[in-house]
C-alpha cells in the first residue's frame, strides 16, 4: 500500500502510540472549507504515516469520520481481500525517486463496499510546510472500473466461446464481488413467455429447477413481472408483496427478503431475459446497485443475442428450416454415433427411407405453399411414430429417413406399417383435403450395411422398388435389388454417353392408307439404341430411364432435330414423305419454352408445323400444370397438330377432344389384336371410329399384323393403318426401297 496507507512497521506496536494532534492551521478557515467541499477524498499523514486529517469527501466516500480515523493507518481501515499486492513498494519507490505516485487501487469502505479509486500521493515534508508525511487524494472511479472489468472479462469470455450459462455465471460472480450484499440471478425468457434460469450461483439449485419453464405474468414474482411488463420491479419486502404470493414459500428457506429485477432487452426492444438483485434485508437498491445493473444489462443483452445468433446459425447448418428436423449432415452425424453404440452393444437396427407418393403433383396443382404445409405435417407424423432413442431427418425434397436403434427386421416392418398408416390420414391444406401416401424402403444393420452411407443407399434402392411395385407400400432390401440398381446406374451412364456422342438412331415405321390406292400417310420416328457391349436395348427400357433421370429432355431435343434432318434429306432426294410423327414424353411439356424450342428447330431446317405430327398421351392433355397447358396452347397457335396416342387405354375423357388441336386418334394395338376374337374390342373400335368421324379426326390403327385385322378395319372405315403387315420400323435409307413394294401388303 502507499506510504500514507501502510504503517512503517508492526501495526500492533504502532497502535499503542498516542494519536497525533490535528493540524492547527486546518482547524477552521477557508482552506478547510475548500477541502471539505471537494468531491475527492483527501487524507494527510504525519512523518509516522498516521492520519492527521481527512476531509468531508473522505467521510462521504468511505464512511469514516475524522474521529474514527485520527492517528490510525489507512491500510488498517481501507485494505480488503482483493487489494492488489505489490502496490506498497510501487508507491514508496515513487515517493523516494520522484516525490509522488499516481495509480489505481481497489480499496474498501467502512461497510465493506469495494471501491476503485484513482490515487495521487505526494510527499509533504514539514520543511516545505506539509504535515511531515504525505497528502493522498483519492477519486472514486468505481463506475469506470465496472465498465472496464465487467466488459473486458465478459467480452473475453465471449471471444473464447464460453457457453452462455458459464458467461452469465461469471457476470453474477463479478457483480457479487463488487457488491457482496447482493445475490444476483439472470433468467432468459423465450418467445413463448417461459422462464429459463441462465445463472444464479448464489441461489439453491432446486429453486432454479422450480423456476424453469414457468410463465411470466403480472403476479410472477419480481422477475416474471418485470419480463411481463418490460419494466423494472422493486420488491422491498417479499413477505408482503402480492406479486410474490405464488413464490414466497419457494424462496423462504433462502432468507432473502427483497428483490430488484430489471428486464433485459435485445436490439429490437424485445424482452429476452431479466437481471435481478436479491437482498437479505428489506430494502431498495442504492446508487451503486443501479450503476452495476446499467452496465450488466447491456452486457447480458449482448451475450444473449450472440448466443441466439449462434443457435440460429447452428439451426440453419444442421436442421431443416421448413420442418425443423435434422438435415442430412446432422442426421449422418447422429446416425454414425448411434451405429457405433449398436456395434458396441451387439445390437441390430434399421434405416427406413420414406418418400412421399405424387408429391410433385401437390406442388404443381396446389402450389408450393401447400407442398410445404404437407411436408411439415408429414414431419410431425413421422416424429409421432418413433421412439426417443430413434433418429429422424429430412434428406431433401419429399425424402425422409428414420434410424431405428435396437430393432429387428420384424420390428422395422411393423414401424414402417405404422408410418404408412399414419401418413395416409387425410390432411386439410388450404381448405382442400389431401390423402397423402408414401413408399418405404428398409435396410437392416448390420446385414445390409455397417455404415450409414451404405444403409441409406440400400434403403433408397428398396424404396425405389416399393414405389415401382405399388405406391403406398414398403420393401425390404435384397441383394437382387442392389444388382438391378447397379445395372440401372450403369445404363444411365451409358445413355448419357450415347446422347453426348449421338450414338442413338431413328427407325421409321410407315403409316399407310388403302383407299382408293395404297399410299404413304406418314412415318412414325422410333428411337433405337445399339450398345457396343450390350447390343440392342429396348425403348421400353431406356425411355422410362430417360424420363426418371431427366435425360428425356436432351433425348427429345435430339429426336426433333434428327427427324427434321431426315425429312429434309428425303425431300431433297425426291422422296415424298407427308410428315413425321414424333412420340413426345409428357415430361417434355413440363419445361417452360418447350413449344418455342420445337418451332425454332423446324425453322432451322426450313420446315413448317405441318411437317411434324406430335403424338401425346391422354395423361398429357389431362395434366393440370399451367406450364403444360401453356405449351399445348402455344403449339396450337403455331399450327401444330396433335395425335392422341394409345387412345382408349387412359382416362378416356372426351371433353378435351373439342378443346385441343387434336387431329388424329391412334387406336391402341391391344384393341386391334383382339378384333378377331373379342366382341368388346370390336364394339369399342367401332365407337372410336364413330367419334373420330363425327369430329373430323383421322384414326390410325396400330399393331396391324394380319390380313383379317386389315380387312375388318378397312370395312369399318379406318383410314390409316400401321403395323408389321404393312411395314416394320426401318432405317431411313430403306424407306425408298420399301415404297415401290408397299402394294404387296395391301389387304384386299
Amino acid at each position: 500500500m502507499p506510504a500514507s496507507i501502510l504503517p512503517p512497521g508492526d501495526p500492533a506496536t504502532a497502535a499503542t502510540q498516542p494519536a497525533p494532534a490535528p493540524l492547527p492551521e486546518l482547524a477552521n478557515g477557508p482552506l478547510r472549507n475548500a477541502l471539505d467541499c471537494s468531491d475527492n477524498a483527501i487524507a494527510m499523514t504525519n512523518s509516522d504515516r498516521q492520519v492527521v486529517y481527512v476531509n468531508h469527501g473522505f467521510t462521504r466516500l468511505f464512511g469514516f469520520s475524522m474521529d474514527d480515523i485520527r492517528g490510525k493507518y489507512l491500510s488498517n481501515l481501507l485494505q480488503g481481500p482483493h487489494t492488489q499486492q505489490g502496490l506498497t513498494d510501487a508507491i514508496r519507490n515513487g515517493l523516494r525517486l520522484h516525490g509522488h505516485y499516481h495509480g489505481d487501487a481497489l480499496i474498501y469502505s467502512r461497510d465493506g463496499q469495494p471501491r476503485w479509486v484513482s490515487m495521487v500521493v505526494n510527499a509533504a515534508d514539514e520543511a516545505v510546510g506539509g504535515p511531515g508525511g504525505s497528502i493522498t487524494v483519492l477519486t472514486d472511479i468505481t463506475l469506470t472500473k465496472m465498465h472496464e472489468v465487467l466488459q473486458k472479462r465478459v467480452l473475453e469470455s465471449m471471444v473464447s466461446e464460453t457457453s452462455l450459462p458459464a458467461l452469465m455465471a461469471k457476470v453474477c460472480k463479478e457483480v457479487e464481488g463488487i457488491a457482496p450484499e447482493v445475490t444476483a440471478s439472470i433468467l432468459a425468457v423465450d418467445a413463448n413467455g417461459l422462464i429459463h434460469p441462465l445463472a444464479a450461483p448464489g441461489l439453491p439449485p432446486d429453486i432454479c429447477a422450480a423456476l424453469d419453464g414457468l410463465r411470466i405474468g403480472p403476479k410472477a414474482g419480481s422477475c416474471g413481472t418485470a419480463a411481463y411488463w418490460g419494466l423494472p420491479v422493486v420488491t422491498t419486502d417479499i413477505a408482503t408483496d402480492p406479486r410474490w404470493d405464488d413464490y414466497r414459500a419457494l424462496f423462504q428457506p433462502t432468507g432473502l427478503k427483497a428483490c430488484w429485477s430489471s428486464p433485459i432487452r435485445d436490439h429490437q426492444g424485445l424482452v429476452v431475459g431479466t437481471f435481478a438483485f436479491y437482498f437479505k434485508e428489506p430494502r431498495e437498491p442504492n446508487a451503486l446497485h443501479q450503476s452495476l445493473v446499467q452496465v450488466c444489462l447491456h452486457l447480458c443483452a449482448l451475450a444473449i443475442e450472440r448466443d441466439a445468433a449462434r443457435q440460429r446459425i447452428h439451426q440453419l447448418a444442421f436442421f431443416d428450416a421448413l420442418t425443423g428436423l435434422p438435415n442430412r449432415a446432422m442426421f449422418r452425424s447422429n446416425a454414425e454415433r448411434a451405429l457405433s453404440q449398436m456395434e458396441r452393444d451387439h445390437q441390430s437396427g434399421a434405416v427406413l427411407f420414406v418418400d412421399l407418393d405424387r408429391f410433385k403433383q401437390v406442388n404443381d396443382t396446389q402450389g408450393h405453399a401447400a407442398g410445404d404445409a404437407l411436408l411439415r405435417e408429414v414431419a410431425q407424423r413421422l416424429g409421432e411414430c418413433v421412439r426417443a432413442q430413434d433418429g429422424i431427418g429430412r434428406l431433401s425434397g419429399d425424402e425422409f429417413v428414420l434410424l431405428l436403434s435396437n430393432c429387428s427386421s420384424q420390428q422395422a416392418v411393423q414401424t414402417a406399417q405404422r408410418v404408412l398408416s399414419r401418413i395416409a390420414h387425410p390432411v386439410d391444406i388450404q381448405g382442400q383435403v389431401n390423402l397423402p401416401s408414401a413408399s418405404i424402403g428398409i435396410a437392416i444393420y448390420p446385414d445390409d450395411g455397417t455404415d450409414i452411407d451404405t444403409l441409406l443407399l440400400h434403403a433408397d434402392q428398396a424404396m425405389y422398388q416399393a414405389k415401382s411395385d405399388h405406391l403406398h407400400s414398403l420393401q425390404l432390401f435384397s441383394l437382387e435389388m442392389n444388382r438391378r440398381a447397379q445395372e440401372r446406374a450403369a445404363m444411365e451412364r451409358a445413355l448419357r454417353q450415347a446422347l453426348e456422342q449421338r450414338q442413338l438412331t431413328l427407325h421409321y415405321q410407315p403409316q399407310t392408307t388403302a383407299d382408293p390406292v395404297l399410299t404413304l400417310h406418314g412415318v412414325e420416328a422410333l428411337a433405337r439404341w445399339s450398345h457396343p457391349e450390350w447390343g440392342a436395348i429396348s425403348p421400353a427400357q431406356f425411355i422410362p430411364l430417360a424420363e426418371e433421370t431427366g435425360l428425356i429432355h436432351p433425348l427429345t431435343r435430339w429426336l426433333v432435330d434428327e427427324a427434321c434432318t431426315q425429312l429434309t434429306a428425303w425431300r431433297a432426294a425426291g422422296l415424298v414423305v407427308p410428315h413425321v410423327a414424333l412420340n413426345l414424353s409428357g415430361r417434355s411439356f413440363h419445361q417452360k419454352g418447350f413449344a418455342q424450342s420445337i418451332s425454332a428447330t423446324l425453322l432451322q431446317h426450313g420446315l413448317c408445323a405441318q411437317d411434324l405430327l406430335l403424338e401425346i398421351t391422354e395423361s398429357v392433355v389431362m395434366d393440370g400444370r399451367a406450364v403444360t397447358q401453356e405449351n399445348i396452347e402455344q403449339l396450337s397457335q403455331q399450327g401444330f397438330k396433335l395425335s392422341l396416342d394409345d387412345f382408349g387405354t387412359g382416362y378416356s375423357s372426351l371433353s378435351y377432344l373439342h378443346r385441343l388441336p387434336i387431329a388424329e386418334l391412334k387406336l391402341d394395338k391391344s384393341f386391334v389384336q383382339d378384333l378377331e376374337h373379342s366382341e368388346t374390342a370390336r364394339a369399342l373400335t367401332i365407337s372410336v371410329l364413330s367419334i373420330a368421324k363425327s369430329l373430323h379426326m383421322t384414326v390410325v390403327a396400330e399393331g396391324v399384323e394380319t390380313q383379317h385385322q386389315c380387312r375388318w378395319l378397312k370395312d369399318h372405315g379406318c383410314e390409316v393403318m400401321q403395323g408389321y403387315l404393312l411395314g416394320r420400323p426401318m432405317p431411313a435409307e430403306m424407306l425408298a426401297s420399301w415404297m415401290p413394294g408397299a402394294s404387296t401388303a395391301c389387304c384386299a
Side-chain angles (χ1 to χ4, degrees), residues 512-521 710 713-721 746-747:
T512 64
T513 62
D515 191 15
V517 295
L518 192 68
T519 58
L520 183 66
H521 173 75
C710 183
L713 290 167
K714 180 181 177 182
D715 292 343
H716 288 82
C718 183
E719 303 172 1
V720 184
M721 302 180 203
C746 179
C747 45

Side-chain angles (χ1 to χ4, degrees), residues 453-475:
D453 291 328
T454 302
L455 289 167
L456 282 174
L457 173 64
H458 290 168
D460 187 17
Q461 293 173 356
M463 182 278 298
Y464 179 81
Q465 184 63 49
K467 196 174 287 287
S468 300
D469 293 343
H470 188 272
L471 296 181
H472 190 59
S473 63
L474 62 90
Q475 181 68 58

Side-chain angles (χ1 to χ4, degrees), residues 72-228:
K72 298 180 182 177
Y73 300 103
L74 292 178
S75 59
N76 288 351
L77 303 173
L78 301 182
Q79 69 181 353
H82 298 292
T83 300
Q84 50 273 55
Q85 296 180 353
L87 185 60
T88 299
D89 292 338
I91 294 174
R92 287 179 176 175
N93 290 336
L95 291 174
R96 179 172 54 82
L97 297 174
H98 308 293
H100 63 83
Y101 171 82
H102 183 203
D104 297 344
L106 178 65
I107 57 180
Y108 291 79
S109 62
R110 184 172 187 171
D111 60 2
Q113 290 282 357
R115 294 190 182 279
W116 280 98
V117 296
S118 174
M119 179 184 301
V120 178
V121 183
N122 287 287
D125 295 337
E126 293 178 355
V128 295
S134 62
I135 299 176
T136 301
V137 180
L138 305 174
T139 303
D140 187 3
I141 59 170
T142 302
L143 294 182
T144 302
K145 280 294 182 180
M146 279 195 298
H147 283 274
E148 289 181 4
V149 173
L150 283 171
Q151 288 189 0
K152 179 175 182 294
R153 294 183 180 178
V154 171
L155 293 177
E156 284 178 350
S157 297
M158 291 173 64
V159 170
S160 62
E161 301 295 333
T162 302
S163 68
L164 183 62
L167 183 59
M168 294 296 93
K170 177 172 287 191
V171 171
C172 290
K173 290 178 180 178
E174 292 290 343
V175 166
E176 291 170 355
I178 295 174
E181 72 279 7
V182 307
T183 298
S185 77
I186 302 173
L187 308 180
V189 178
D190 65 23
N192 297 318
L194 302 181
I195 290 172
H196 304 287
L198 288 177
L203 292 179
D206 59 316
I207 289 184
C208 294
L211 294 177
D212 193 21
L214 294 181
R215 185 170 297 278
I216 64 174
K219 292 186 62 178
S222 298
C223 294
T225 306
Y228 181 80

